[in-house]
């Protein structure tokens, strides 16, 4: 299994989009997609609507998400998930997918360099609160702009019951003066994370070397680019104006790993 | 400057303690102390009471803390700070001290391995919220058990005006049923951070290799060991019962870098 040409294509499960010209949009799936692309592994995407995720993964012999549970503690099936026909493994949760790919394909470029697993965990832990306010826009935006009708209904109900703790995606969406307040919160969060790199004079999270940490940022950026639209003022602001254009540059620097067919 | 014996001793500014048998206790100064000890650099400690920090550092030609400000935005002088008579530099803030030491003494063991500066920033960012509940115990405990009278008065007033936002250190201290609730919050935070390492099967934050990240945890542990006392049920709980004894083991594994005279 040292040559990609000898490998059977892996399967990546992802959420489809109804938006013209947009394929992959989910920030967490993008982390796995970047990982597969960066390692140069062959794979094909199976697009799954939200209400079909559990049955699809169960049928593929996959376990539930090993990290996250439903609010009531019961297991939950989530994407990204991959099935690797070369080993028979099914892995969900983007960091665990990266760990699996590094372990199974050590001759391909490394996603989590030796000794940085705990740092990656810490970075993910610090990342979430910094971008959390963006959920207030993202829930409704996802439902309205990206999801097909069956997923739309399912997604609104699921988010109301987990992330939003009883609040509807419409009510969570910032209104009036709140819009600028929430954008400022997101900008501040991204600025804080930009300084992690800036203090070291770093281009990527590890300096000159790409790692999974960069795909954490890039997944969030891809989502915003796809949900708001490449020509939107929101995306231009984020990609060009924030942090000296660092975030737009990051996506450009990762462009060769952007495949999402 | 390649041999420690040719170096003039650096100066580390630290807070004294009134508690018998306790010298260094401040978690942030411990990070710098571990850094100096790990690099094997010669240094001497100058013990400074809280009300004297600003005047002492100003007299030594040091700039204010480059990262933190007072709530009103004005500059603040903080410890740890080091003066290096070999270069004339004065550096405050423990991560910046580590960066300085690595840069100035590259032939000594590395604190922040190449490519991990942003990861260290992210880890510090994720660390704080996880241990933040411990402040509710720590403020009063520090004032009552560790500080000399002049520092005690100064410290209570300063913390009321910054971290505690108007609440006194006495009122912030958990009472009744809250005591167990807050301990559980701290235990949960430490457990979350233990899993960063555990998931990779790591002994130290980077696996088998010591880095500054370990001193972040160890500084917090040293504080608790000194403030509660080595024989206290609180320290025994934290060092022996939590996370399979990981935290007590960490201090033992770093014992040779514990010098605080």
């Amino acid at each position: 299994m040292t040559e990609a040409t000898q490998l059977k294509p892996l399967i990546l499960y992802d959420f489809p989009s109804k938006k013209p010209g947009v394929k992959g949009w989910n920030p967490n799936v993008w982390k796995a997609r970047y990982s597969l692309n960066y390692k140069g592994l062959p794979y094909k995407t199976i697009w799954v609507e939200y209400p079909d995720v559990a049955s699809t993964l169960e049928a593929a012999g996959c376990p539930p998400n090993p990290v996250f549970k439903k609010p009531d503690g019961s297991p939950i099936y989530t994407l990204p998930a991959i099935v690797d026909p070369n080993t028979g493994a099914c892995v969900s949760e983007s960091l665990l997918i990266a760990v699996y790919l590094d372990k199974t394909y050590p001759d391909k470029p490394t996603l989590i360099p030796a000794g940085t697993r705990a740092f990656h965990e810490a970075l993910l832990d610090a990342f979430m609160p910094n971008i959390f306010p963006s959920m207030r826009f993202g829930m409704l935006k996802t439902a309205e702009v990206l999801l097909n009708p069956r997923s739309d209904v399912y997604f609104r109900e699921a988010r109301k019951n987990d992330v939003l703790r009883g609040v509807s995606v419409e009510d969570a969406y910032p209104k009036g003066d709140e819009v600028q307040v929430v954008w400022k919160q997101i900008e501040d969060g991204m600025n804080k994370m930009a300084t992690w790199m800036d203090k070291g004079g770093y281009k990527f999270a590890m300096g000159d070397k790409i790692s999974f940490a960069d795909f954490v940022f890039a997944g969030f950026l891809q989502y915003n680019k796809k949900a708001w639209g490449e020509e939107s003022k929101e995306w231009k602001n984020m990609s060009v104006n924030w942090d000296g254009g660092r975030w737009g540059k990051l996506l450009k620097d990762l462009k060769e790993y952007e495949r999402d067919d």
Side-chain angles (χ1 to χ4, degrees), chain A:
Chain A
M1 293 201 294
T2 54
E3 287 302 315
T5 48
Q6 300 169 343
L7 289 171
K8 291 180 214 160
L10 285 72
I11 293 162
L12 172 67
Y13 294 95
D14 196 355
F15 300 107
S17 144
K18 71 174 181 187
K19 189 174 182 179
V22 169
K23 284 181 284 191
W25 58 268
N26 182 281
N28 295 314
V29 181
W30 262 109
K31 293 182 233 168
R33 197 177 270 295
Y34 272 116
S35 298
L36 288 162
N37 292 340
Y38 182 63
K39 287 190 91 81
L41 292 164
Y43 69 97
K44 57 185 178 183
T45 305
I46 294 184
W47 304 95
V48 187
E49 297 291 344
Y50 272 87
D52 303 328
V53 167
S55 59
T56 303
L57 294 187
E58 274 189 286
C62 298
N65 188 309
V67 180
F68 299 107
K69 311 279 172 210
K70 286 187 188 172
D72 67 5
S74 62
I76 185 168
Y77 286 85
T78 61
L79 303 190
I82 60 164
V83 165
D84 185 349
N86 304 287
T87 64
C90 178
V91 187
S92 61
E93 212 279 313
S94 63
L95 181 61
L96 294 181
I97 290 172
V99 168
Y100 167 82
L101 294 176
D102 275 348
K103 191 175 170 190
T104 311
Y105 303 103
D107 54 332
K108 306 289 180 190
T110 303
L111 298 164
I112 300 169
T116 70
R117 171 76 187 271
F119 279 138
H120 272 89
E121 301 277 355
L123 184 139
L124 284 163
D125 221 42
F127 178 81
M128 272 312 294
N130 281 321
I131 60 100
F132 199 74
S134 73
M135 298 274 185
R136 293 188 58 190
F137 290 117
M139 300 284 127
L140 183 60
K141 200 81 189 163
T142 298
E144 285 190 339
V145 176
L146 295 167
L147 298 182
N148 289 309
R150 284 182 64 232
S151 283
D152 182 1
V153 171
Y154 182 96
F155 179 88
R156 287 174 194 253
E157 187 64 16
R159 290 303 86 81
K160 182 177 174 179
N161 292 330
D162 51 37
V163 182
L164 298 176
R165 295 163 187 272
V167 177
S168 71
V169 299
E170 290 87 352
D171 287 348
Y173 199 90
K175 284 154 198 80
D177 291 347
E178 272 189 319
V179 171
Q180 286 315 311
V181 171
V182 176
W183 274 115
K184 183 67 167 59
Q185 290 171 341
I186 306 168
E187 183 177 358
D188 287 349
M190 293 299 277
N191 173 255
K192 193 180 187 189
M193 297 193 287
T195 65
W196 299 345
M197 273 78 83
D198 291 346
K199 281 181 186 164
Y202 283 8
K203 179 178 176 182
F204 296 113
M206 292 195 68
D208 294 328
K209 184 185 172 65
I210 290 171
S211 67
F212 182 78
D214 301 301
F215 304 152
V216 175
F217 300 116
F220 179 72
L221 296 168
Q222 284 288 357
Y223 169 79
N224 281 280
K225 184 177 169 182
K226 302 299 168 71
W228 295 101
E230 202 159 351
E231 300 304 321
S232 66
K233 69 177 193 310
E234 288 84 359
W235 171 245
K236 291 210 164 152
N237 217 10
M238 188 179 277
S239 61
V240 178
N241 296 339
W242 291 5
D243 302 308
R246 163 182 278 282
W247 305 114
K249 282 194 203 99
L250 177 62
L251 280 204
K252 285 200 188 94
D253 288 331
L254 298 176
K255 189 147 192 69
E256 64 182 298
Y257 312 113
E258 244 183 28
R259 178 195 148 194
D260 66 345
D261 54 25

